[in-house]
Amino acid sequence: MPFFLGNYSKANGINDNSQVVGEADSFGLTRAFVYDNGTMQDILTLGGSQSVSYGINNNGQILGWSETGNSVQHAFLYANGNMQDLGALGSAFNESRAYAINESGQMVGASGPDARSHQAFLYNNGSMQGLSIKGAFDISNHGQIVGSTITTSGSHAILYANGVTQDLGTLGGFSSAGRAINNGWVAGSSVLSNNSDQHAFLYSNGAMQDLGTLGGNNSFAYAINDTGQVVGQADTTTSSYAALWNGSSAYDLNSFA
């Protein structure tokens, strides 16, 4: 089905086959799309008006959320032209969103009665399982999950595997969150000791490294590749730009345009 753009689009994920997924304005509605072989395609909905896709694996499986016919947001899996409703934790009228998928088709996301009260989940082998953590944002090919959980001192980035939660700590502040994982290292963002500014971090070999900024106060990490390069957003003294961290060096991607 042709995809008709309005005035907004955003790419949220890409696989090794250069297939891209994201969200775009289609006649005033936000719709999930897949871009493949030069064509942007609307992947439709679960019966409602709007949808968003967040990720795609190398098997072409796409995930995200869609409105159902009852105008409830549910996580979906899209494969071979079919969109599957993954349901929700608890009541069928609860919301759910799927955020990441690995090469085995395992998915993580969040589900709950509304946007302010969600529980992390793992979807595996046709079943949605609630996890004992606050948020789950990415999953490795080994089934390791990164996200956040509530501690006595705040919300901390975590690595969750085989039912065990590892607190990754912070960069000195009260909160942090893991956003991406390769097959060992975690990238995310943490509040600093002033409990105001946030910096991107890379967690490896048992330590959280402050990745710094482009000269401003804040930075945020959203993705990491298998070589440990991290991408996200960082402040300069005047603005905020897409950023790449390679080791301890930060690069303004705008400067390469």
Side-chain angles (χ1 to χ4, degrees), residues 3-13 21-33 40 42 50-54 65 97:
F3 191 67
F4 301 96
L5 285 176
N7 58 10
Y8 165 82
S9 63
K10 179 183 178 185
N12 292 325
V21 295
E23 58 197 88
D25 178 10
S26 179
F27 301 106
L29 299 172
T30 300
R31 297 291 282 264
F33 72 80
M40 181 179 282
D42 183 348
Q50 303 193 89
S51 57
V52 171
S53 53
Y54 290 120
W65 65 263
R97 293 187 176 194

Side-chain angles (χ1 to χ4, degrees), residues 116-140:
R116 296 171 300 279
S117 179
H118 278 164
Q119 178 184 358
F121 70 75
L122 169 66
Y123 190 93
N124 188 31
N125 294 323
S127 176
M128 181 180 289
Q129 170 193 353
L131 303 176
S132 58
I133 56 178
K134 177 185 177 184
F137 301 115
D138 199 9
I139 183 168
S140 76

Side-chain angles (χ1 to χ4, degrees), residues 128-211:
M128 181 180 289
Q129 170 193 353
L131 303 176
S132 58
I133 56 178
K134 177 185 177 184
F137 301 115
D138 199 9
I139 183 168
S140 76
N141 289 330
H142 299 303
Q144 300 163 302
I145 297 168
V146 293
S148 62
T149 195
I150 300 297
T151 70
T152 56
S153 58
S155 178
H156 283 195
I158 57 93
L159 176 63
Y160 181 91
N162 299 316
V164 177
T165 301
Q166 179 185 355
D167 187 339
L168 304 186
T170 74
L171 293 173
F174 64 88
S175 70
S176 62
R179 296 303 302 263
I181 184 171
N182 57 19
N183 289 316
W185 297 352
V186 176
S189 305
S190 172
V191 175
L192 304 185
S193 57
N194 62 11
N195 284 322
S196 176
D197 300 337
Q198 293 190 58
H199 280 191
F201 71 76
L202 175 64
Y203 186 93
S204 63
N205 301 317
M208 182 179 287
Q209 175 190 355
D210 187 340
L211 295 180

Side-chain angles (χ1 to χ4, degrees), residues 213-239:
T213 72
L214 294 170
N217 294 330
N218 299 291
S219 61
F220 307 91
Y222 299 130
I224 183 171
N225 66 13
D226 288 341
T227 65
Q229 292 176 309
V230 176
V231 291
Q233 183 179 10
D235 291 352
T236 67
T237 55
T238 59
S239 190

